[in-house]
Amino acid sequence: MSTDPVTPVLTKRWLSPRSWRLSTYEQLEGYTALRKALAATPEQLVNVVKDAGLRGRGGAGFPAGVKWSFMPPNEDKPHYLVINADEGEPGTCKDIPLMMADPHSLIEGCVIASYAMRSHHCFIYVRGEALHCVRRLNSAVREARAAGYLGQNILDTGYDLDITVHAGAGAYICGEETALLDSLEGRRGQPRLKPPFPAAAGLYAAPTTVNNVETIASVPFIVNAGSAWFRSMGREKSPGPKIFSISGHVTKPGQYEAPMGTTLRQLLELCGGMKDGIPLKFWTPGGSSTPMFTAEHLDVPLDFEGAAEAGSMLGTTAVQVFNETVSVPWAVMKWTQFYEHESCGKCTPCREGTYWLAQILERMVAGEGTVSDIDTLLDVCDNIFGRSFCALGDGAVSPIQSGIKYFRDEFLALCDSNAVNAARGNDERRELAGAHSR
Amino acid sequence: MTSDLRADVFGAEVVAEAQEIIQRYPRSRSALLPMLHLVQSIEGYVSPAGIAFCAAQLGLTTAEVDAVVTFYTMYKRKPCGEHLVSVCTNTLCAALGGDDIYKRLTTRLGTDDAPVGHEETAGEPGETGSITLEHAECLAACDLGPVIQVNYEYYDNQTVESAVDLVDSLRAGQRPAPSRGPALSSFRAVSRELAGFFDDLDTTVDGPSAAAETLRGARLAEDRGWTAPVMSDVPLPLPVAEEKK
């Protein structure tokens, strides 16, 4: 079926003046889905989200309805819904504009999802650096409570829910759902061993579901318009609209909400092409943890299957575009420094591995690398990938492995020129390098 | 000594606010992160006294609190300036000029011979115009890069020149308006908001939010007449017969 190239659903209200206010939201069908949802059973809501095929928008793409159905039907312990609003994956910048412009869509989604999972306390864990989102969400919670959409006996249905907005304190790892839960419990944000999964033992060891902002903000639309409507956009296994965040060397970077499966070629048309006509060199389909693509991949359908079949991942559809002026070894070094800084230190492969990877890349970019460093990098990557406690380790090796896969010549050329310099008898520099402690 | 400090700095009002934070959560320890933002709002950093205060409020050891403080980058271990200037130097912002901006600010705030380093402060901490500088990881505003935050308010699409103007104004005691969000306040004032205390939320919640870049997709669709498929009110799937186990 054919849809328009841009399909504003989540982003549509952003155009309205003072879109963050309850009065604006109510004028634009806000909280109509909530009335409908509270008149239904939790099972009906889980089923409509399952039927819609809504997949998690935080990167992993797990079907949201299936995740919800893991929550136990009884209420022996309190149930919790926790929203992961700790947006920090390099390149990702969709949840922050959503929470700034349309916080009530997230709040409405939270109430519906909490009701569907028999939860009476929902937490929104917002990245601390997203200060203005913290304000907007707190204000939205106050407005919603005053209007009877939150609190005791919501809309006279007898359903109670409170939402607590919780600001983080600066740690990328807290975007990992179990690290987020530890952080929300007032601890260092370090991942937990799974199983048990959060639905069995999450926040305070009680049944918990952690969902991304964009996922939950999509729910009111699905409740109102149904699963078939949602499936009329995107592709069979990855339906719906998706906010593509296009950044970097393009003419008009920004947020473009398009059907799942849109290609970079199509996105580049929307955002005015490459800036100043300088050709594309490499790009990430969904943040720095997703292996990079090149100009060969312009026609890869950007949905969960398409990106995976082409050797990467959809991630958060954070499309970072780099032109020919950018050195791949340099970019890879910068990303690796990021992972080194953000590694939580819990498991050895990631803690030690990222530390050594960063040093090797720094040495290479500083003009002191050798060709054998390339193999060392890949070897260390092999010892991190699949051997780390959580996905941060896998993400950390993505830029390196994909960078060397597509641009090995550039790494080689860098090391060759280093070798030439060394052969010239640059003893002074070698001494300096040897004495240098990093 | 520490207990004297605690009595001076964290009076009855702060104790009451700490208790208020605890009430937000089913279990008290969850209050630790906001409580650390709160003590930071009072002292401009997380001091040993602040750590002792949180530990006492929550029945934790100071070591347990310290372990948390050192994990998170937003808790500062040294007194900070009136403003915290964070320059994104992650890959994309750096490629667009973020590295140059950071480098220039180190010497602008210090001197060529003695640049101000990461998490170092120009001026006397706490005094008007004092600035703590840091290089930050991705600030999640990549379509607006290179970005700087001052006290976690966004300054979008920066250049070396605009960044120098920005810190010069801050040093002179001015508070240039951020690209998005309310009027600029101070590092201490925003720390209080991060603790969940909003003294004037009706005012601070306003201010511009969406940058032009944010709205580009939606505007393009509006201009071209592109829309999502029409939504009509469709009944929810019928309830499935109850499965009794």
PDB file of all heavy atoms in Angstrom, chain A residues 4 36 44 127 135-136 166 169 184 187-188 204 229 253 334-335, chain B residues 25 30 67 72 99 138 153 193 205 209 216 227 229 233-234 237:
ATOM      1  N   ASP A   4       2.020   8.476   2.030  1.00  0.00           N
ATOM      2  CA  ASP A   4       2.808   9.670   1.721  1.00  0.00           C
ATOM      3  C   ASP A   4       4.223   9.495   2.282  1.00  0.00           C
ATOM      4  O   ASP A   4       4.440   8.728   3.210  1.00  0.00           O
ATOM      5  CB  ASP A   4       2.142  10.899   2.331  1.00  0.00           C
ATOM      6  CG  ASP A   4       0.871  11.292   1.563  1.00  0.00           C
ATOM      7  OD1 ASP A   4       0.767  10.894   0.385  1.00  0.00           O
ATOM      8  OD2 ASP A   4       0.010  11.970   2.142  1.00  0.00           O
ATOM      9  N   LYS A  36     -11.728   5.724  26.039  1.00  0.00           N
ATOM     10  CA  LYS A  36     -12.048   4.476  25.352  1.00  0.00           C
ATOM     11  C   LYS A  36     -11.338   3.296  26.031  1.00  0.00           C
ATOM     12  O   LYS A  36     -11.937   2.231  26.229  1.00  0.00           O
ATOM     13  CB  LYS A  36     -11.582   4.613  23.900  1.00  0.00           C
ATOM     14  CG  LYS A  36     -11.992   3.505  22.982  1.00  0.00           C
ATOM     15  CD  LYS A  36     -11.629   3.907  21.550  1.00  0.00           C
ATOM     16  CE  LYS A  36     -11.748   2.753  20.602  1.00  0.00           C
ATOM     17  NZ  LYS A  36     -11.366   3.138  19.232  1.00  0.00           N
ATOM     18  N   GLN A  44      -8.052  -6.470  26.263  1.00  0.00           N
ATOM     19  CA  GLN A  44      -8.369  -5.870  24.960  1.00  0.00           C
ATOM     20  C   GLN A  44      -7.265  -4.918  24.522  1.00  0.00           C
ATOM     21  O   GLN A  44      -6.920  -4.845  23.347  1.00  0.00           O
ATOM     22  CB  GLN A  44      -9.694  -5.100  25.042  1.00  0.00           C
ATOM     23  CG  GLN A  44     -10.930  -5.978  25.000  1.00  0.00           C
ATOM     24  CD  GLN A  44     -12.192  -5.141  25.165  1.00  0.00           C
ATOM     25  OE1 GLN A  44     -12.508  -4.705  26.272  1.00  0.00           O
ATOM     26  NE2 GLN A  44     -12.879  -4.879  24.067  1.00  0.00           N
ATOM     27  N   ARG A 127      16.330  11.540  31.281  1.00  0.00           N
ATOM     28  CA  ARG A 127      17.727  11.941  31.333  1.00  0.00           C
ATOM     29  C   ARG A 127      17.851  13.303  32.016  1.00  0.00           C
ATOM     30  O   ARG A 127      17.133  14.250  31.674  1.00  0.00           O
ATOM     31  CB  ARG A 127      18.239  12.010  29.893  1.00  0.00           C
ATOM     32  CG  ARG A 127      19.675  12.367  29.817  1.00  0.00           C
ATOM     33  CD  ARG A 127      20.205  12.216  28.414  1.00  0.00           C
ATOM     34  NE  ARG A 127      21.567  12.699  28.435  1.00  0.00           N
ATOM     35  CZ  ARG A 127      22.334  12.820  27.385  1.00  0.00           C
ATOM     36  NH1 ARG A 127      21.877  12.480  26.206  1.00  0.00           N
ATOM     37  NH2 ARG A 127      23.560  13.263  27.486  1.00  0.00           N
ATOM     38  N   ARG A 135      10.713  19.701  33.171  1.00  0.00           N
ATOM     39  CA  ARG A 135       9.695  20.717  33.487  1.00  0.00           C
ATOM     40  C   ARG A 135       8.377  20.412  32.785  1.00  0.00           C
ATOM     41  O   ARG A 135       7.309  20.444  33.391  1.00  0.00           O
ATOM     42  CB  ARG A 135      10.180  22.093  33.023  1.00  0.00           C
ATOM     43  CG  ARG A 135      11.401  22.602  33.720  1.00  0.00           C
ATOM     44  CD  ARG A 135      11.622  24.068  33.308  1.00  0.00           C
ATOM     45  NE  ARG A 135      12.880  24.548  33.837  1.00  0.00           N
ATOM     46  CZ  ARG A 135      13.986  24.754  33.101  1.00  0.00           C
ATOM     47  NH1 ARG A 135      13.973  24.545  31.791  1.00  0.00           N
ATOM     48  NH2 ARG A 135      15.090  25.181  33.667  1.00  0.00           N
ATOM     49  N   ARG A 136       8.477  20.157  31.487  1.00  0.00           N
ATOM     50  CA  ARG A 136       7.251  19.945  30.708  1.00  0.00           C
ATOM     51  C   ARG A 136       6.475  18.744  31.225  1.00  0.00           C
ATOM     52  O   ARG A 136       5.248  18.765  31.303  1.00  0.00           O
ATOM     53  CB  ARG A 136       7.619  19.748  29.228  1.00  0.00           C
ATOM     54  CG  ARG A 136       8.085  21.033  28.541  1.00  0.00           C
ATOM     55  CD  ARG A 136       6.924  21.765  27.893  1.00  0.00           C
ATOM     56  NE  ARG A 136       7.236  23.167  27.623  1.00  0.00           N
ATOM     57  CZ  ARG A 136       7.741  23.633  26.475  1.00  0.00           C
ATOM     58  NH1 ARG A 136       7.984  22.807  25.481  1.00  0.00           N
ATOM     59  NH2 ARG A 136       7.963  24.925  26.317  1.00  0.00           N
ATOM     60  N   HIS A 166      11.138  11.268  37.241  1.00  0.00           N
ATOM     61  CA  HIS A 166      12.398  11.062  37.951  1.00  0.00           C
ATOM     62  C   HIS A 166      13.551  11.476  37.042  1.00  0.00           C
ATOM     63  O   HIS A 166      13.689  10.946  35.945  1.00  0.00           O
ATOM     64  CB  HIS A 166      12.504   9.575  38.324  1.00  0.00           C
ATOM     65  CG  HIS A 166      13.749   9.197  39.071  1.00  0.00           C
ATOM     66  ND1 HIS A 166      13.785   9.125  40.439  1.00  0.00           N
ATOM     67  CD2 HIS A 166      14.985   8.870  38.637  1.00  0.00           C
ATOM     68  CE1 HIS A 166      15.003   8.757  40.819  1.00  0.00           C
ATOM     69  NE2 HIS A 166      15.759   8.600  39.746  1.00  0.00           N
ATOM     70  N   ALA A 169      20.974  11.297  36.294  1.00  0.00           N
ATOM     71  CA  ALA A 169      22.092  12.124  36.734  1.00  0.00           C
ATOM     72  C   ALA A 169      23.310  11.990  35.828  1.00  0.00           C
ATOM     73  O   ALA A 169      24.433  12.256  36.255  1.00  0.00           O
ATOM     74  CB  ALA A 169      22.453  11.793  38.179  1.00  0.00           C
ATOM     75  N   LEU A 184      17.003   3.760  39.316  1.00  0.00           N
ATOM     76  CA  LEU A 184      15.743   4.239  39.900  1.00  0.00           C
ATOM     77  C   LEU A 184      15.605   3.777  41.352  1.00  0.00           C
ATOM     78  O   LEU A 184      14.896   4.385  42.148  1.00  0.00           O
ATOM     79  CB  LEU A 184      14.570   3.737  39.046  1.00  0.00           C
ATOM     80  CG  LEU A 184      13.156   4.208  39.364  1.00  0.00           C
ATOM     81  CD1 LEU A 184      13.066   5.717  39.480  1.00  0.00           C
ATOM     82  CD2 LEU A 184      12.187   3.717  38.288  1.00  0.00           C
ATOM     83  N   ARG A 187      20.691   3.369  43.111  1.00  0.00           N
ATOM     84  CA  ARG A 187      22.006   2.723  43.107  1.00  0.00           C
ATOM     85  C   ARG A 187      22.821   3.185  41.902  1.00  0.00           C
ATOM     86  O   ARG A 187      22.335   3.929  41.063  1.00  0.00           O
ATOM     87  CB  ARG A 187      21.835   1.200  43.030  1.00  0.00           C
ATOM     88  CG  ARG A 187      21.044   0.664  44.179  1.00  0.00           C
ATOM     89  CD  ARG A 187      20.647  -0.799  43.977  1.00  0.00           C
ATOM     90  NE  ARG A 187      19.666  -1.156  44.985  1.00  0.00           N
ATOM     91  CZ  ARG A 187      19.965  -1.471  46.241  1.00  0.00           C
ATOM     92  NH1 ARG A 187      21.220  -1.508  46.634  1.00  0.00           N
ATOM     93  NH2 ARG A 187      19.015  -1.743  47.115  1.00  0.00           N
ATOM     94  N   ARG A 188      24.055   2.699  41.841  1.00  0.00           N
ATOM     95  CA  ARG A 188      24.830   2.873  40.616  1.00  0.00           C
ATOM     96  C   ARG A 188      24.068   2.186  39.496  1.00  0.00           C
ATOM     97  O   ARG A 188      23.516   1.105  39.695  1.00  0.00           O
ATOM     98  CB  ARG A 188      26.200   2.208  40.759  1.00  0.00           C
ATOM     99  CG  ARG A 188      27.109   2.866  41.771  1.00  0.00           C
ATOM    100  CD  ARG A 188      28.259   1.960  42.158  1.00  0.00           C
ATOM    101  NE  ARG A 188      29.306   1.913  41.141  1.00  0.00           N
ATOM    102  CZ  ARG A 188      30.336   2.749  41.083  1.00  0.00           C
ATOM    103  NH1 ARG A 188      30.457   3.692  41.984  1.00  0.00           N
ATOM    104  NH2 ARG A 188      31.242   2.644  40.139  1.00  0.00           N
ATOM    105  N   TYR A 204      12.053  -2.926  42.460  1.00  0.00           N
ATOM    106  CA  TYR A 204      11.814  -3.481  43.800  1.00  0.00           C
ATOM    107  C   TYR A 204      11.433  -4.962  43.719  1.00  0.00           C
ATOM    108  O   TYR A 204      10.593  -5.455  44.483  1.00  0.00           O
ATOM    109  CB  TYR A 204      10.705  -2.712  44.532  1.00  0.00           C
ATOM    110  CG  TYR A 204      10.821  -1.209  44.445  1.00  0.00           C
ATOM    111  CD1 TYR A 204       9.765  -0.425  43.981  1.00  0.00           C
ATOM    112  CD2 TYR A 204      12.004  -0.558  44.811  1.00  0.00           C
ATOM    113  CE1 TYR A 204       9.869   0.953  43.892  1.00  0.00           C
ATOM    114  CE2 TYR A 204      12.114   0.824  44.735  1.00  0.00           C
ATOM    115  CZ  TYR A 204      11.048   1.576  44.267  1.00  0.00           C
ATOM    116  OH  TYR A 204      11.150   2.945  44.178  1.00  0.00           O
ATOM    117  N   TRP A 229      -5.235   0.470  11.002  1.00  0.00           N
ATOM    118  CA  TRP A 229      -4.747   1.803  10.638  1.00  0.00           C
ATOM    119  C   TRP A 229      -3.229   1.878  10.840  1.00  0.00           C
ATOM    120  O   TRP A 229      -2.500   2.352   9.963  1.00  0.00           O
ATOM    121  CB  TRP A 229      -5.448   2.864  11.490  1.00  0.00           C
ATOM    122  CG  TRP A 229      -4.784   4.213  11.409  1.00  0.00           C
ATOM    123  CD1 TRP A 229      -4.932   5.146  10.428  1.00  0.00           C
ATOM    124  CD2 TRP A 229      -3.827   4.746  12.341  1.00  0.00           C
ATOM    125  NE1 TRP A 229      -4.129   6.239  10.676  1.00  0.00           N
ATOM    126  CE2 TRP A 229      -3.436   6.020  11.850  1.00  0.00           C
ATOM    127  CE3 TRP A 229      -3.260   4.284  13.532  1.00  0.00           C
ATOM    128  CZ2 TRP A 229      -2.514   6.828  12.517  1.00  0.00           C
ATOM    129  CZ3 TRP A 229      -2.349   5.084  14.196  1.00  0.00           C
ATOM    130  CH2 TRP A 229      -1.984   6.337  13.685  1.00  0.00           C
ATOM    131  N   PRO A 253      18.883  19.123   8.372  1.00  0.00           N
ATOM    132  CA  PRO A 253      18.730  18.112   9.420  1.00  0.00           C
ATOM    133  C   PRO A 253      17.447  18.365  10.212  1.00  0.00           C
ATOM    134  O   PRO A 253      16.957  19.494  10.252  1.00  0.00           O
ATOM    135  CB  PRO A 253      19.968  18.327  10.304  1.00  0.00           C
ATOM    136  CG  PRO A 253      20.438  19.702  10.011  1.00  0.00           C
ATOM    137  CD  PRO A 253      20.025  20.011   8.607  1.00  0.00           C
ATOM    138  N   LYS A 334      36.484   8.564  18.251  1.00  0.00           N
ATOM    139  CA  LYS A 334      35.618   9.400  19.085  1.00  0.00           C
ATOM    140  C   LYS A 334      34.499   8.566  19.706  1.00  0.00           C
ATOM    141  O   LYS A 334      34.190   8.708  20.885  1.00  0.00           O
ATOM    142  CB  LYS A 334      35.007  10.539  18.252  1.00  0.00           C
ATOM    143  CG  LYS A 334      35.996  11.549  17.728  1.00  0.00           C
ATOM    144  CD  LYS A 334      36.537  12.454  18.827  1.00  0.00           C
ATOM    145  CE  LYS A 334      35.548  13.545  19.200  1.00  0.00           C
ATOM    146  NZ  LYS A 334      36.176  14.496  20.183  1.00  0.00           N
ATOM    147  N   TRP A 335      33.890   7.711  18.900  1.00  0.00           N
ATOM    148  CA  TRP A 335      32.812   6.870  19.435  1.00  0.00           C
ATOM    149  C   TRP A 335      33.363   5.920  20.499  1.00  0.00           C
ATOM    150  O   TRP A 335      32.730   5.659  21.504  1.00  0.00           O
ATOM    151  CB  TRP A 335      32.135   6.083  18.303  1.00  0.00           C
ATOM    152  CG  TRP A 335      31.057   6.859  17.600  1.00  0.00           C
ATOM    153  CD1 TRP A 335      30.155   7.709  18.172  1.00  0.00           C
ATOM    154  CD2 TRP A 335      30.756   6.850  16.186  1.00  0.00           C
ATOM    155  NE1 TRP A 335      29.308   8.225  17.199  1.00  0.00           N
ATOM    156  CE2 TRP A 335      29.653   7.714  15.983  1.00  0.00           C
ATOM    157  CE3 TRP A 335      31.303   6.187  15.083  1.00  0.00           C
ATOM    158  CZ2 TRP A 335      29.083   7.923  14.721  1.00  0.00           C
ATOM    159  CZ3 TRP A 335      30.730   6.402  13.833  1.00  0.00           C
ATOM    160  CH2 TRP A 335      29.642   7.267  13.646  1.00  0.00           C
TER     161      TRP A 335
ATOM    162  N   TYR B  25       8.302   8.006  46.542  1.00  0.00           N
ATOM    163  CA  TYR B  25       8.687   6.659  46.114  1.00  0.00           C
ATOM    164  C   TYR B  25       8.184   5.590  47.075  1.00  0.00           C
ATOM    165  O   TYR B  25       8.090   5.825  48.282  1.00  0.00           O
ATOM    166  CB  TYR B  25      10.220   6.570  46.015  1.00  0.00           C
ATOM    167  CG  TYR B  25      10.787   7.543  45.016  1.00  0.00           C
ATOM    168  CD1 TYR B  25      11.235   8.796  45.418  1.00  0.00           C
ATOM    169  CD2 TYR B  25      10.832   7.225  43.661  1.00  0.00           C
ATOM    170  CE1 TYR B  25      11.730   9.707  44.498  1.00  0.00           C
ATOM    171  CE2 TYR B  25      11.329   8.130  42.738  1.00  0.00           C
ATOM    172  CZ  TYR B  25      11.776   9.371  43.162  1.00  0.00           C
ATOM    173  OH  TYR B  25      12.257  10.274  42.245  1.00  0.00           O
ATOM    174  N   SER B  30      15.115   5.106  46.602  1.00  0.00           N
ATOM    175  CA  SER B  30      14.889   5.710  45.288  1.00  0.00           C
ATOM    176  C   SER B  30      15.028   7.228  45.320  1.00  0.00           C
ATOM    177  O   SER B  30      15.197   7.864  44.285  1.00  0.00           O
ATOM    178  CB  SER B  30      13.500   5.350  44.761  1.00  0.00           C
ATOM    179  OG  SER B  30      13.481   4.025  44.294  1.00  0.00           O
ATOM    180  N   ALA B  67      29.470   5.941  46.577  1.00  0.00           N
ATOM    181  CA  ALA B  67      29.557   5.047  45.423  1.00  0.00           C
ATOM    182  C   ALA B  67      28.598   5.486  44.322  1.00  0.00           C
ATOM    183  O   ALA B  67      28.893   5.368  43.134  1.00  0.00           O
ATOM    184  CB  ALA B  67      29.242   3.610  45.853  1.00  0.00           C
ATOM    185  N   TYR B  72      27.842   8.965  38.567  1.00  0.00           N
ATOM    186  CA  TYR B  72      27.056   9.817  37.670  1.00  0.00           C
ATOM    187  C   TYR B  72      27.783  11.135  37.386  1.00  0.00           C
ATOM    188  O   TYR B  72      28.232  11.811  38.317  1.00  0.00           O
ATOM    189  CB  TYR B  72      25.688  10.110  38.286  1.00  0.00           C
ATOM    190  CG  TYR B  72      24.839   8.867  38.475  1.00  0.00           C
ATOM    191  CD1 TYR B  72      24.813   8.186  39.681  1.00  0.00           C
ATOM    192  CD2 TYR B  72      24.061   8.372  37.431  1.00  0.00           C
ATOM    193  CE1 TYR B  72      24.038   7.048  39.851  1.00  0.00           C
ATOM    194  CE2 TYR B  72      23.278   7.235  37.591  1.00  0.00           C
ATOM    195  CZ  TYR B  72      23.275   6.572  38.807  1.00  0.00           C
ATOM    196  OH  TYR B  72      22.510   5.444  38.967  1.00  0.00           O
ATOM    197  N   ASP B  99      34.573  20.017  18.653  1.00  0.00           N
ATOM    198  CA  ASP B  99      35.926  19.931  19.215  1.00  0.00           C
ATOM    199  C   ASP B  99      36.614  21.290  19.194  1.00  0.00           C
ATOM    200  O   ASP B  99      37.280  21.675  20.159  1.00  0.00           O
ATOM    201  CB  ASP B  99      36.782  18.932  18.413  1.00  0.00           C
ATOM    202  CG  ASP B  99      36.641  17.503  18.935  1.00  0.00           C
ATOM    203  OD1 ASP B  99      35.955  17.298  19.958  1.00  0.00           O
ATOM    204  OD2 ASP B  99      37.217  16.588  18.305  1.00  0.00           O
ATOM    205  N   CYS B 138      27.108  12.842  24.007  1.00  0.00           N
ATOM    206  CA  CYS B 138      25.959  13.229  23.175  1.00  0.00           C
ATOM    207  C   CYS B 138      24.810  13.817  24.001  1.00  0.00           C
ATOM    208  O   CYS B 138      24.311  13.194  24.932  1.00  0.00           O
ATOM    209  CB  CYS B 138      25.452  12.024  22.395  1.00  0.00           C
ATOM    210  SG  CYS B 138      24.127  12.446  21.237  1.00  0.00           S
ATOM    211  N   GLU B 153      20.435  23.949  29.710  1.00  0.00           N
ATOM    212  CA  GLU B 153      19.554  24.584  28.728  1.00  0.00           C
ATOM    213  C   GLU B 153      20.302  24.575  27.394  1.00  0.00           C
ATOM    214  O   GLU B 153      21.506  24.802  27.341  1.00  0.00           O
ATOM    215  CB  GLU B 153      19.238  26.047  29.097  1.00  0.00           C
ATOM    216  CG  GLU B 153      18.882  26.297  30.546  1.00  0.00           C
ATOM    217  CD  GLU B 153      17.455  25.904  30.926  1.00  0.00           C
ATOM    218  OE1 GLU B 153      16.748  25.306  30.093  1.00  0.00           O
ATOM    219  OE2 GLU B 153      17.069  26.187  32.072  1.00  0.00           O
ATOM    220  N   GLU B 193      15.484  22.138  40.393  1.00  0.00           N
ATOM    221  CA  GLU B 193      14.422  21.615  39.525  1.00  0.00           C
ATOM    222  C   GLU B 193      14.630  20.125  39.257  1.00  0.00           C
ATOM    223  O   GLU B 193      13.675  19.348  39.215  1.00  0.00           O
ATOM    224  CB  GLU B 193      14.380  22.393  38.216  1.00  0.00           C
ATOM    225  CG  GLU B 193      13.952  23.840  38.398  1.00  0.00           C
ATOM    226  CD  GLU B 193      13.926  24.594  37.083  1.00  0.00           C
ATOM    227  OE1 GLU B 193      15.008  24.894  36.531  1.00  0.00           O
ATOM    228  OE2 GLU B 193      12.825  24.874  36.591  1.00  0.00           O
ATOM    229  N   VAL B 205       7.840  26.599  32.500  1.00  0.00           N
ATOM    230  CA  VAL B 205       7.459  25.553  31.552  1.00  0.00           C
ATOM    231  C   VAL B 205       7.322  26.112  30.141  1.00  0.00           C
ATOM    232  O   VAL B 205       7.429  25.380  29.159  1.00  0.00           O
ATOM    233  CB  VAL B 205       6.147  24.866  31.999  1.00  0.00           C
ATOM    234  CG1 VAL B 205       4.935  25.754  31.717  1.00  0.00           C
ATOM    235  CG2 VAL B 205       5.992  23.528  31.311  1.00  0.00           C
ATOM    236  N   SER B 209      10.184  25.839  22.440  1.00  0.00           N
ATOM    237  CA  SER B 209      10.638  24.472  22.655  1.00  0.00           C
ATOM    238  C   SER B 209      11.144  23.875  21.374  1.00  0.00           C
ATOM    239  O   SER B 209      12.268  23.416  21.285  1.00  0.00           O
ATOM    240  CB  SER B 209       9.520  23.621  23.219  1.00  0.00           C
ATOM    241  OG  SER B 209       8.437  23.588  22.341  1.00  0.00           O
ATOM    242  N   ARG B 216      10.822  20.339  10.965  1.00  0.00           N
ATOM    243  CA  ARG B 216      10.986  20.308   9.514  1.00  0.00           C
ATOM    244  C   ARG B 216      10.125  19.254   8.835  1.00  0.00           C
ATOM    245  O   ARG B 216       9.489  19.515   7.821  1.00  0.00           O
ATOM    246  CB  ARG B 216      12.451  20.098   9.159  1.00  0.00           C
ATOM    247  CG  ARG B 216      13.160  21.420   8.961  1.00  0.00           C
ATOM    248  CD  ARG B 216      14.609  21.228   8.644  1.00  0.00           C
ATOM    249  NE  ARG B 216      15.221  22.540   8.421  1.00  0.00           N
ATOM    250  CZ  ARG B 216      16.490  22.823   8.691  1.00  0.00           C
ATOM    251  NH1 ARG B 216      17.283  21.888   9.185  1.00  0.00           N
ATOM    252  NH2 ARG B 216      16.971  24.022   8.457  1.00  0.00           N
ATOM    253  N   THR B 227      -0.046  13.418   4.538  1.00  0.00           N
ATOM    254  CA  THR B 227      -0.607  13.077   5.840  1.00  0.00           C
ATOM    255  C   THR B 227      -0.443  11.588   6.101  1.00  0.00           C
ATOM    256  O   THR B 227      -0.191  10.808   5.185  1.00  0.00           O
ATOM    257  CB  THR B 227      -2.124  13.363   5.908  1.00  0.00           C
ATOM    258  OG1 THR B 227      -2.780  12.570   4.904  1.00  0.00           O
ATOM    259  CG2 THR B 227      -2.435  14.833   5.689  1.00  0.00           C
ATOM    260  N   PRO B 229      -2.385   8.100   7.024  1.00  0.00           N
ATOM    261  CA  PRO B 229      -3.728   7.643   6.664  1.00  0.00           C
ATOM    262  C   PRO B 229      -4.751   8.158   7.673  1.00  0.00           C
ATOM    263  O   PRO B 229      -4.448   8.310   8.859  1.00  0.00           O
ATOM    264  CB  PRO B 229      -3.603   6.117   6.718  1.00  0.00           C
ATOM    265  CG  PRO B 229      -2.153   5.841   6.477  1.00  0.00           C
ATOM    266  CD  PRO B 229      -1.415   6.995   7.073  1.00  0.00           C
ATOM    267  N   ASP B 233     -12.504   6.291  14.305  1.00  0.00           N
ATOM    268  CA  ASP B 233     -12.642   5.624  15.607  1.00  0.00           C
ATOM    269  C   ASP B 233     -13.061   4.172  15.393  1.00  0.00           C
ATOM    270  O   ASP B 233     -14.189   3.886  15.015  1.00  0.00           O
ATOM    271  CB  ASP B 233     -13.673   6.372  16.450  1.00  0.00           C
ATOM    272  CG  ASP B 233     -13.652   5.906  17.898  1.00  0.00           C
ATOM    273  OD1 ASP B 233     -12.795   5.058  18.225  1.00  0.00           O
ATOM    274  OD2 ASP B 233     -14.485   6.382  18.678  1.00  0.00           O
ATOM    275  N   VAL B 234     -12.136   3.285  15.622  1.00  0.00           N
ATOM    276  CA  VAL B 234     -12.376   1.863  15.392  1.00  0.00           C
ATOM    277  C   VAL B 234     -12.552   1.177  16.747  1.00  0.00           C
ATOM    278  O   VAL B 234     -11.781   1.434  17.668  1.00  0.00           O
ATOM    279  CB  VAL B 234     -11.169   1.248  14.635  1.00  0.00           C
ATOM    280  CG1 VAL B 234     -11.305  -0.256  14.505  1.00  0.00           C
ATOM    281  CG2 VAL B 234     -11.030   1.892  13.269  1.00  0.00           C
ATOM    282  N   PRO B 237     -10.572  -4.594  19.820  1.00  0.00           N
ATOM    283  CA  PRO B 237     -10.910  -6.006  19.616  1.00  0.00           C
ATOM    284  C   PRO B 237     -11.794  -6.496  20.761  1.00  0.00           C
ATOM    285  O   PRO B 237     -11.638  -6.067  21.898  1.00  0.00           O
ATOM    286  CB  PRO B 237      -9.547  -6.718  19.630  1.00  0.00           C
ATOM    287  CG  PRO B 237      -8.522  -5.704  19.946  1.00  0.00           C
ATOM    288  CD  PRO B 237      -9.136  -4.356  19.900  1.00  0.00           C
TER     289      PRO B 237
END
